[in-house]
Amino acid sequence: MARVEPVEIIEDGLLLRPWRAEDADAVHRACQDPDIQRWTTVPRPYLPEHALEFVTTISGTAWAEGTGAPFAVCDAQTGELLASCGLVSVDRGLDSAEVGYWTAPWARGRGVAVRATRAVARWAFDALKLRRVTWQAEVGNHASRLVALRAGFRVEGELRLAHPSVDGRPEGWIGSLLPHELGAPGEPLRYGPDTLEARRAAVFMRPQPVLFATAGDTELQLRAFEERDIDALVTTCRDEDSIRWTTVPHPYQRQHAEGYLRDIAEASWARGKGATYAVADPDDRYVASIDLRISPGDPLVADVGFMTAPHARGRGYLPAALAALCAWGFTTLGLARIEWRANVGNTASRRAAEKAGFTVEGTLRGGVQHRGERQDVWVGGLLPQDLT
């Protein structure tokens, strides 16, 4: 592959230049950061010799062999190292390359990675005449996703990772940027830095928040599921009413609960597709499950599902938790409508929804496949103004 000549780029307050041996100490210090070690492919533990090899041998070889273009991202005035950003997997046959980046802990919150990514992409299109720049990140790395979105990338789907992290998910996001989507410096991006998708990435990049609800004199917490909830979840899902009215597996085993926590509760937050909560009483014991799922067809619509532990029924816990979760969905996720469905005859679910403010709007005949049969379902809706 043809050599790529090392260059310096000055744009938007940043100096992007080839790595130097004297950068090794700063790189070593930056790569002690838990987030860099968690979400990138740097060695763990990251030793001084790793940093020295990166800024000398690895980076220099990439330029010389034309396989990459790694830049040290510095403050244009002070020269302080702020980040790493560059091209990897340069493919001259496709005129395509992938962008990769990390930001030093001391430089975060200043838009460094976004500005650097735009500068690298602009150079790749103008100087290297590439026709596409791609981006990949492990599902759940919403900080990287947010940078990509704000830089103008379209996040287009998922793919299974060839080398997943030992403690990470096996799936990755993939996105791309084309030359006409970037624009000149200072021009607004075609997809904009403040889209709904970007705003939600900023929500899901943080830990799942704890929500609070009050049912009579009882204060409830809505928190992320934990392993200590598994026994109570199993008991709830083995209850005859849960089996009758929900789609939980039957017979319900402990591995079903473990899979629910891993593949539904944790995965929905990692993907930014919704939030699954355990409802806990004042003693932090599980009393209910509730989840909010963003519609794949309409990002402004979501639906809710819930069930209550047998010992906690009839106490008004679900209406209070449901109202709290929906309020969070409207205010934080920017939803315009939340929908509820229940099999016709599930009056307990209907009462909880109506007490939370939902309007039952009708019946869908044969609206759901339930335990091998098509069954009629009630459907209801909640709008933001219904909670005021």
Side-chain angles (χ1 to χ4, degrees):
M1 197 169 289
R3 173 184 176 87
V4 177
E5 289 299 325
V7 298
E8 291 189 354
I9 303 169
I10 298 177
E11 181 176 312
D12 207 4
L14 300 177
L15 166 65
L16 286 75
R17 58 164 175 77
W19 291 96
R20 303 168 182 164
E22 55 265 33
D23 297 321
D25 287 345
V27 170
H28 176 254
R29 182 161 58 100
C31 290
Q32 302 311 301
D33 176 67
D35 286 335
I36 292 178
Q37 295 198 12
R38 168 64 182 86
W39 296 114
T40 75
T41 58
V42 300
R44 289 183 277 177
Y46 196 82
L47 305 176
E49 50 263 40
H50 293 134
L52 184 60
E53 183 183 23
F54 171 70
V55 299
T56 55
T57 306
I58 294 175
S59 62
T61 299
W63 286 102
E65 296 183 349
T67 57
F71 290 96
V73 182
C74 306
D75 184 289
Q77 292 189 340
T78 67
E80 179 188 22
L81 179 68
L82 305 176
S84 171
C85 186
L87 300 179
V88 298
S89 304
V90 176
D91 187 331
R92 284 299 192 174
L94 291 176
D95 290 327
S96 178
E98 180 184 337
V99 68
Y101 44 78
W102 52 253
T103 305
W106 57 83
R108 291 178 186 156
R110 293 151 53 182
V112 171
V114 175
R115 288 182 281 151
T117 300
R118 292 176 184 172
V120 168
R122 199 178 326 279
W123 170 77
F125 294 142
D126 294 345
L128 301 186
K129 306 303 180 185
L130 296 186
R131 301 182 64 179
R132 182 186 66 183
V133 174
T134 64
W135 161 87
Q136 294 188 54
E138 180 188 316
V139 165
N141 189 355
H142 290 280
S144 180
R145 180 186 177 110
L146 183 58
V147 168
L149 291 169
R150 287 178 171 169
F153 283 74
R154 259 196 240 190
V155 180
E156 292 150 326
E158 291 185 14
L159 77 170
R160 288 172 292 177
L161 297 172
H163 299 285
S165 173
V166 174
D167 51 358
R169 300 195 62 82
E171 312 90 3
W173 285 311
I174 187 166
S176 65
L177 179 70
L178 303 182
H180 68 277
E181 296 168 342
L182 186 59
E187 287 185 359
L189 297 170
R190 179 174 179 180
Y191 297 102
D194 195 34
T195 61
L196 178 64
E197 189 178 11
R199 293 198 300 273
R200 286 181 178 170
V203 172
F204 289 105
M205 68 185 284
R206 299 180 178 89
Q208 190 169 329
V210 175
L211 308 178
F212 296 92
T214 302
D217 295 330
T218 304
E219 184 174 83
L220 305 169
Q221 284 189 51
L222 283 70
R223 55 166 174 76
F225 267 94
E226 301 175 4
E227 287 191 14
R228 60 192 173 97
D229 299 316
I230 287 180
D231 289 343
L233 181 60
V234 170
T235 299
T236 300
C237 292
R238 288 177 176 174
D239 177 75
E240 61 180 18
D241 283 335
S242 298
I243 296 168
R244 180 183 181 187
W245 296 118
T246 76
T247 58
V248 296
H250 178 60
Y252 197 86
Q253 306 296 337
R254 185 178 179 88
Q255 59 262 34
H256 293 130
E258 293 169 342
Y260 176 77
L261 265 64
R262 180 186 64 249
D263 300 327
I264 296 178
E266 294 176 3
S268 64
W269 190 265
R271 287 189 164 91
K273 301 297 185 183
T276 300
Y277 278 100
V279 183
D281 66 13
D283 295 321
D284 203 21
R285 295 176 301 188
Y286 168 92
V287 295
S289 306
I290 187 168
D291 64 334
L292 183 73
R293 304 171 292 256
I294 299 171
S295 168
D298 187 340
L300 296 179
V301 176
D303 67 88
V304 291
F306 48 81
M307 62 181 177
T308 309
H311 75 274
R313 291 173 184 159
R315 303 182 186 183
Y317 290 170
L318 241 307
L322 185 55
L325 181 58
C326 291
W328 177 81
F330 289 135
T331 57
T332 305
L333 299 183
L335 295 170
R337 173 180 165 86
I338 298 175
E339 297 180 347
W340 158 88
R341 285 175 172 80
N343 291 10
V344 169
N346 189 353
T347 55
S349 179
R350 178 168 179 159
R351 282 197 300 268
E354 290 178 325
K355 287 180 180 178
F358 282 78
T359 298
V360 178
E361 298 164 330
T363 301
L364 296 177
R365 294 181 298 162
V368 67
Q369 182 78 7
H370 185 80
R371 309 219 181 271
E373 298 179 356
R374 298 300 300 184
Q375 296 195 7
D376 298 347
V377 293
W378 288 316
V379 61
L382 184 75
L383 305 182
Q385 58 265 32
D386 297 333
L387 288 178
T388 58

